[in-house]
Amino acid sequence: MTHQFPTLSEAQKRELHETALRIVSPGKGILAADESVGSMAKRLAQVGVENTEENRRQYRQILFSADDRVSGCIGGIIFFHETLYQNSDTGIPFVKMIRDRGILVGIKVDKGVVPLAGTFGETTTQGLDGLSDRCAQYKKDGAVFAKWRCVLKVSETNPSTLAITENANVLARYSSICQQHGIVPIIEPEILPDGDHDLKRSQCITEKVLTAVYKAMSDHHVYLEGTLLKPNMVTSGHSCSTKYGPEEVAMATVTALRRTVPPAVTGVAFLSGGQSEEEATVHLNAINNCPLAKPWILSFSFGRALQASALRAWRGHKENEKGATEQFIKKAEANSLASQGKYTGGDNNYTDAGQRSYGSCHAY
Amino acid sequence: MTHQYPALTTEQKKELQEIAERITAPGKGILAADESTGSMGKRLNPIGVENTEENRRRYRQLLFTADQRIDSCIGGVIFFHETLYQNTDDGTNFSKLIKDRGIVVGIKVDKGVVPLAGTDGETTTQGLDGLSERCAQYKKDGADFAKWRSVLKISENTPSELAIMENANVLARYASICQQNGIVPIVEPEILPDGEHDLKRCQYVSEKVLAAVYKALSDHHVYLEGTLLKPNMVTPGHSCPTKVSHEEIAMATVTALRRTVPPAVTGVTFLSGGQSEEDASINLNAINNCPLAKPWALTFSYGRALQASALNAWRGELSKENAATEEFIKRAEANSQAALGKYQSSGSGTAAGKSLYVENHAY
């Protein structure tokens, strides 16, 4: 390991770093609109819409035709492959619509989870084959960042050491390849909220997983300033009997990140997982108000937490399209405020976000 | 790895973090006065002083009896074992003297480097045997922090993966044991400045070494908020033909730390290595003025860079003790300013500008 064979030139590093900064510039986050065809089936089924290519196009159009109000809230949108090549009703490519708003285009590049033999239901993620060529093509087609999702589960025996090291390694390979093509990798090591584990357990596991991720990044010579992290917030499992307030979630999350994420990482854009739109926003706001030193930007990369209301308002009806777009804009604005610690609205008791007492819930 | 069996209670964690914060409070750093008997020989010989236990006692006394001006500059003093049990002329125990001034007492606990067979002259550090019992005793005797030094070298083939991994592991074991006994571990993975490598190479190696250190600390369940890091600054090798500015050193150092040191680490206390007193202060100052975000305290843990002028002024003579103490106080104040990014260099100190680099230094 002794000599450095520079992976990137100064100019390449600068481009990656600047792209990362633009995606999470103050008040901005990411719209994760990269649901695969299979995932879209689940979303559309819930609102009684058939999962056709045309319906998926119409749905994404609702999001992408939001007006200028989203330009200050959304720094980047993650696309699914199919969507990257779709157009609006008037024939404008979605990519062009987005870029003309000053929003950066991202692309999901992984090819889904596959089982890890000999484990208790654990997985790794595939998609490395030909990834270099695909990245080169996506860059030509307008994408400047990418996303790759790994999944870990919490149980009596999970996550195992193998699952942690294998997923960390594959995330590092993906990142290394992306950077070679001027594409900023978003690194997503999601720990699912399924289970009855408490907050402490979630925090402990998150710390172990993230440490492994950044060791792998170092081993693979990934340029951290040109990456973003997309982690889960630290929350208790869905079936945990104890309920925790936003400040506890924030403290546990920020503590876990402080113990594992080097300051060089430009930004952290949380996934929303199974949280409701309101929960995700309130948690993000609490995270940004946490009194511990947080040297990275802390923003959002939400899918369901930005789209749930829009989907429900639409239900596949043309006459509902404008109303649906409005729902999305409202969520974008709310999360923009939350990413700055200034969110005060919503159907909750948190009108005084800045005066939360975090001291009592220091997460050791 | 799935369950956490808590290594420390909340109270234990709180105590460790508070100790670490006290040592690296704003404007404060560490006096590394833990030179082993062998190393003290190398300090005393050049000034014509015989390396006896009494002379070592007299020398440390002139440092520890510095007046209240150092109370706002020195957060901690690292002792060598012998010194912890020595007294002043009037019978006051050194450890008690220091502790009563509000300065935290530390103790060097490693037992020196040993060769790693099959490598090109690389080493690991020993000292883990019975370390738990020793820590418990040191805690009773007034120590609240410890220091352990691992050493890595840069050359064509080094540092090797084994050297990096083995030293990171032994540092993590040491840190884990210390914390169990209420002692804050200072983690020192020194990369020697010997060699002709350039700044970039040093930065690259530093990043790899530190990444391995923090992975090992995580694997060993070490509580980062209750630790301090004592790294080398990132500099070109001593025989490198290219000279760099203080700002370049600062930028390379801070960048390396930003890429590897989690924000939870309470403080970074740089070693001075072979740097002159003045360079060590100017570089620390430049580091604190570096415009990148730096979420940890950045201060000093200096041995030679705090003591060189004092030693030279003393030369073993009773009549020179006060002057020697003054030299030490001057460097303590200079580095306190540097830790705040407010140091104005004036070239003061008789030995301040002289390079303290000694080839192939082995403490």
Side-chain angles (χ1 to χ4, degrees):
Chain A
M1 63 61 62
T2 58
H3 285 278
Q4 185 182 21
F5 306 101
T7 44
L8 300 163
S9 66
E10 291 303 307
Q12 285 176 305
K13 285 181 180 175
R14 207 175 313 142
E15 184 195 14
L16 289 166
H17 186 38
E18 279 168 8
T19 299
L21 284 169
R22 282 171 61 202
I23 296 170
V24 292
S25 57
K28 295 191 186 182
I30 299 169
L31 163 64
D34 63 318
E35 297 86 353
S36 62
V37 173
S39 289
M40 277 312 291
K42 293 183 212 162
R43 304 276 176 273
L44 298 178
Q46 282 168 338
V47 292
V49 175
E50 201 190 342
N51 188 22
T52 63
E53 194 182 329
E54 175 58 13
N55 282 343
R56 293 193 293 274
R57 187 195 68 82
Q58 280 189 32
Y59 172 61
R60 265 65 181 260
Q61 180 172 247
I62 288 170
L63 302 174
F64 300 164
S65 51
D67 60 38
D68 273 324
R69 278 174 289 165
V70 298
S71 303
C73 309
I74 303 291
I77 297 181
I78 316 177
F79 281 63
F80 179 63
H81 178 91
E82 168 191 84
T83 319
L84 203 66
Y85 304 103
Q86 286 180 327
N87 306 327
S88 68
D89 288 344
T90 54
I92 306 175
F94 281 155
V95 169
K96 187 178 189 316
M97 277 174 75
I98 291 305
R99 289 174 73 178
D100 286 350
R101 283 228 177 287
I103 300 173
L104 298 183
V105 171
I107 175 72
K108 183 231 290 290
V109 298
D110 72 78
K111 295 190 170 182
V113 299
V114 291
L116 277 173
T119 67
F120 182 50
E122 294 181 293
T123 63
T124 180
T125 298
Q126 60 181 8
L128 292 179
D129 299 351
L131 180 58
S132 185
D133 294 339
R134 294 174 60 217
C135 280
Q137 188 60 50
Y138 284 137
K139 189 83 196 290
K140 287 205 196 100
D141 296 340
V144 293
F145 73 97
K147 189 210 92 176
W148 175 294
R149 178 172 175 263
C150 275
V151 182
L152 294 141
K153 306 191 220 293
V154 180
S155 76
E156 268 304 301
T157 52
N158 293 340
S160 65
T161 305
L162 172 64
I164 293 176
T165 51
E166 164 60 24
N167 281 286
N169 190 63
V170 87
L171 279 165
R173 280 294 299 131
Y174 140 78
S175 299
S176 167
I177 293 170
C178 281
Q179 291 195 329
Q180 289 298 301
H181 294 280
I183 291 195
V184 169
I186 295 188
I187 295 156
E188 182 178 354
E190 175 171 10
I191 301 160
L192 295 179
D194 303 42
D196 58 6
H197 52 279
D198 61 11
L199 191 66
K200 258 186 138 47
R201 180 101 191 279
S202 177
Q203 184 184 330
C204 175
I205 290 171
T206 302
E207 291 173 9
K208 294 302 182 189
V209 167
L210 291 177
T211 302
V213 165
Y214 284 100
K215 181 58 165 67
M217 293 298 149
S218 170
D219 291 344
H220 286 260
H221 316 300
V222 175
Y223 173 61
L224 294 187
E225 291 87 333
T227 67
L228 295 171
L229 178 69
K230 179 167 170 166
N232 49 280
M233 296 180 189
V234 174
T235 62
S236 52
H238 277 331
S239 340
C240 180
S241 45
T242 316
K243 294 301 161 212
Y244 300 90
E247 293 74 37
E248 291 174 282
V249 167
M251 198 45 106
T253 302
V254 174
T255 301
L257 297 178
R258 279 169 51 80
R259 290 175 179 171
T260 57
V261 183
V265 172
T266 295
V268 175
F270 294 99
L271 60 93
S272 44
Q275 298 179 54
S276 69
E277 288 167 319
E278 191 60 16
E279 250 185 312
T281 304
V282 166
H283 282 154
L284 180 63
N285 190 59
I287 282 168
N288 275 284
N289 282 303
C290 179
L292 302 176
K294 313 177 292 289
W296 345 257
I297 290 158
L298 293 162
S299 185
F300 58 93
S301 175
F302 291 168
R304 284 170 283 181
L306 275 170
Q307 300 176 53
S309 295
L311 258 171
R312 275 197 305 268
W314 178 49
R315 303 200 75 82
H317 299 302
K318 198 144 197 74
E319 64 271 20
N320 292 342
E321 278 176 4
K322 281 210 157 20
T325 305
E326 271 308 305
Q327 287 297 318
F328 164 60
I329 295 174
K330 266 200 340 222
K331 291 305 165 198
E333 290 178 325
N335 286 302
S336 171
L337 287 172
S339 77
Q340 301 170 84
K342 296 177 183 168
Y343 178 65
T344 56
D347 57 339
N348 57 75
N349 308 332
Y350 307 107
T351 46
D352 258 323
Q355 291 189 13
R356 302 270 131 244
S357 78
Y358 289 81
S360 56
C361 39
H362 191 109
Y364 284 100
Chain B
M1 68 61 58
T2 58
H3 285 278
Q4 185 184 23
Y5 305 100
L8 300 162
T9 63
T10 303
E11 289 68 38
Q12 286 175 305
K13 287 179 177 176
K14 213 179 295 182
E15 185 198 12
L16 289 166
Q17 184 171 0
E18 278 165 8
I19 292 169
E21 285 170 350
R22 269 197 292 139
I23 296 168
T24 56
K28 293 189 183 181
I30 298 171
L31 162 64
D34 62 321
E35 296 85 353
S36 62
T37 306
S39 288
M40 276 313 291
K42 293 184 207 165
R43 303 278 176 273
L44 298 177
N45 288 341
I47 56 167
V49 176
E50 201 188 342
N51 188 19
T52 63
E53 193 181 332
E54 174 59 9
N55 281 343
R56 293 193 293 274
R57 185 194 70 81
R58 285 177 54 211
Y59 173 61
R60 267 63 182 261
Q61 178 173 250
L62 69 83
L63 298 175
F64 300 165
T65 52
D67 63 38
Q68 84 288 346
R69 281 174 287 166
I70 66 161
D71 292 345
S72 58
C73 307
I74 303 294
V77 173
I78 316 178
F79 282 64
F80 178 61
H81 177 91
E82 167 191 86
T83 319
L84 202 66
Y85 304 101
Q86 287 180 324
N87 305 326
T88 60
D89 289 342
D90 60 15
T92 310
N93 171 257
F94 278 158
S95 168
K96 183 177 191 312
L97 179 72
I98 290 298
K99 200 162 180 169
D100 286 349
R101 303 179 67 149
I103 300 174
V104 187
V105 170
I107 176 71
K108 183 231 291 292
V109 298
D110 72 76
K111 295 191 171 181
V113 298
V114 291
L116 278 173
T119 66
D120 185 10
E122 295 181 290
T123 62
T124 182
T125 298
Q126 61 182 5
L128 293 178
D129 298 351
L131 180 59
S132 187
E133 289 77 11
R134 294 173 60 216
C135 281
Q137 187 60 49
Y138 284 137
K139 181 84 177 180
K140 286 204 195 104
D141 296 338
D144 285 311
F145 74 99
K147 190 210 91 177
W148 175 293
R149 178 173 175 263
S150 272
V151 182
L152 295 141
K153 307 188 222 287
I154 298 182
S155 75
E156 268 306 299
N157 319 305
T158 62
S160 65
E161 282 188 35
L162 171 64
I164 293 175
M165 186 265 301
E166 162 60 23
N167 280 287
N169 190 61
V170 87
L171 279 165
R173 279 294 299 132
Y174 140 79
S176 168
I177 292 170
C178 282
Q179 292 195 328
Q180 289 298 300
N181 291 286
I183 290 201
V184 167
I186 296 189
V187 173
E188 181 178 355
E190 174 171 10
I191 301 162
L192 293 178
D194 302 48
E196 50 185 25
H197 52 276
D198 60 12
L199 187 69
K200 261 189 140 43
R201 179 97 190 279
C202 180
Q203 182 184 331
Y204 175 73
V205 172
S206 297
E207 289 173 9
K208 293 303 182 191
V209 167
L210 290 173
V213 166
Y214 284 98
K215 181 59 166 63
L217 291 177
S218 170
D219 291 344
H220 287 259
H221 315 301
V222 175
Y223 174 60
L224 294 187
E225 291 88 333
T227 66
L228 295 173
L229 177 69
K230 179 166 172 167
N232 50 283
M233 293 180 189
V234 174
T235 62
H238 191 76
S239 330
C240 179
T242 318
K243 295 303 159 206
V244 296
S245 66
H246 300 291
E247 289 68 36
E248 287 174 282
I249 286 173
M251 192 53 97
T253 302
V254 173
T255 300
L257 297 177
R258 278 170 51 79
R259 289 176 178 170
T260 55
V261 183
V265 173
T266 294
V268 176
T269 61
F270 294 98
L271 59 94
S272 44
Q275 299 179 54
S276 68
E277 287 172 325
E278 193 60 13
D279 275 346
S281 300
I282 297 176
N283 284 331
L284 179 62
N285 189 59
I287 283 168
N288 275 284
N289 284 301
C290 179
L292 303 176
K294 313 176 291 290
W296 345 258
L298 291 163
T299 182
F300 58 94
S301 176
Y302 291 167
R304 284 171 286 176
L306 274 169
Q307 301 176 54
S309 292
L311 267 166
N312 260 343
W314 178 49
R315 304 198 78 84
E317 295 166 43
L318 203 52
S319 57
K320 300 279 174 52
E321 278 179 5
N322 286 338
T325 304
E326 272 306 307
E327 291 293 338
F328 164 59
I329 295 174
K330 273 207 313 237
R331 291 328 300 176
E333 291 179 322
N335 287 305
S336 171
Q337 290 297 295
L340 297 167
K342 297 179 181 167
Y343 178 57
Q344 309 270 359
S345 168
S346 61
S348 58
T350 48
K354 201 170 108 166
S355 171
L356 297 164
Y357 175 77
V358 174
E359 230 171 273
N360 269 325
H361 192 104
Y363 292 116

